[in-house]
Amino acid sequence: EAGVAQSPRYKIIEKRQSVAFWCNPISGHATLYWYQQILGQGPKLLIQFQNNGVVDDSQLPKDRFSAERLKGVDSTLKIQPAKLEDSAVYLCASSLEGKNTEAFFGQGTRLTVV
Amino acid sequence: GDSVTQMEGPVTLSEEAFLTINCTYTATGYPSLFWYVQYPGEGLQLLLKATKADDKGSNKGFEATYRKETTSFHLEKGSVQVSDSAVYFCALTRSSGANSKLTFGKGITLSVRP
């Protein structure tokens, strides 16, 4: 079974530029998550979708970050404009619906803002 | 809010040594507890989980017991191998309706030398 696919793997941009990340979850997984992992810290949830609806975006910096999940499948996360502190690994994960179901993670996109 | 505290790292062990990685949590109610592992160059993978008090999760020789009285979920392995070298994350989730986000600890790097 194919895993969670993310692209690009690496991205370097200058501050104030914009960037977008793409995620393709495991087929049939209704729930999709975007996490931010800053170096030396654990992943922090940015946004959770169930199908194409937002369940939790309480920690998403909405002045600069946006995310969408069209048709309840693929998702994109955008940052505009980027700041130096946005340098991190952005992880996408997906899971089946229901309590305590396992979340499967992609390899992540490493963003460096210079 | 919910939080997970892991012991400070990194940890370096010789092959066949005994491993303990401490994890404590703060959460209301009855969270589910997880250990995730990230091998070099790979995405996060679920190692084991426990969904209620006194449950023991186990996988690949690793074990962890959900201790509600001490709010702990320490990871143990009797004899580590070089292939266990990775970053280990303790995490919890409190499924509330459709919200099933994971709250992670900072992670700890384990290096096993031959």
Side-chain angles (χ1 to χ4, degrees), chain B residues 63-112:
Chain B
E63 293 183 341
T65 301
Y66 189 145
R67 301 285 188 202
K68 190 158 179 66
E69 64 275 13
T70 54
T71 62
S72 65
F73 193 54
H74 304 322
L75 183 68
E76 296 182 336
K77 186 174 186 182
S79 175
V80 294
Q81 306 300 311
V82 172
S83 57
D84 294 327
S85 298
V87 182
Y88 292 82
F89 294 90
C90 185
L92 68 82
T93 185
R94 279 193 304 117
S95 292
S96 172
N99 190 329
S100 54
K101 73 174 185 181
L102 287 160
T103 299
F104 286 89
K106 286 187 175 181
I108 187 169
T109 300
L110 170 66
S111 298
V112 180

Side-chain angles (χ1 to χ4, degrees), chain A residues 9-22:
Chain A
R9 287 294 311 278
Y10 305 93
K11 190 74 177 178
I12 301 174
I13 62 172
E14 295 183 349
K15 60 184 179 184
R16 290 188 289 274
Q17 285 187 322
S18 62
V19 64
F21 313 126
W22 174 81

Side-chain angles (χ1 to χ4, degrees), chain A residues 85-107:
Chain A
E85 58 260 36
D86 297 332
S87 295
V89 177
Y90 291 85
L91 298 168
C92 180
S94 69
S95 69
L96 294 168
E97 284 186 76
K99 290 181 63 173
N100 302 320
T101 56
E102 179 179 351
F104 293 82
F105 285 80
Q107 289 189 294

Side-chain angles (χ1 to χ4, degrees), chain B residues 16-68:
Chain B
E16 299 184 4
F18 183 84
L19 169 71
T20 298
I21 301 177
N22 290 341
C23 171
T24 57
Y25 68 89
T26 301
T28 56
Y30 300 92
S32 296
L33 303 174
F34 304 81
W35 277 100
Y36 276 82
V37 59
Q38 189 169 33
Y39 297 104
E42 299 184 18
L44 280 166
Q45 304 172 23
L46 179 64
L47 179 60
L48 54 83
K49 70 177 183 182
T51 58
K52 61 182 188 295
D54 300 325
D55 266 3
K56 178 185 284 188
S58 61
N59 186 24
K60 299 182 180 181
F62 291 89
E63 293 183 341
T65 301
Y66 189 145
R67 301 285 188 202
K68 190 158 179 66

Side-chain angles (χ1 to χ4, degrees), chain A residues 28-80:
Chain A
H29 282 193
T31 306
L32 184 147
Y33 312 81
W34 283 102
Y35 286 85
Q36 180 193 56
Q37 185 177 10
I38 293 173
L39 186 64
Q41 298 182 21
K44 182 187 80 172
L45 182 73
L46 292 174
I47 189 166
Q48 177 188 342
F49 292 94
Q50 182 137 314
N51 297 307
N52 58 353
V54 175
V55 173
D56 183 351
D57 63 357
S58 57
Q59 298 197 79
L60 186 74
K62 298 180 187 63
D63 57 333
R64 297 184 300 107
F65 286 63
S66 64
E68 60 182 7
R69 189 181 185 196
L70 299 175
K71 300 180 182 178
V73 182
D74 292 4
S75 177
T76 55
L77 176 70
K78 297 179 182 177
I79 307 175
Q80 182 179 14

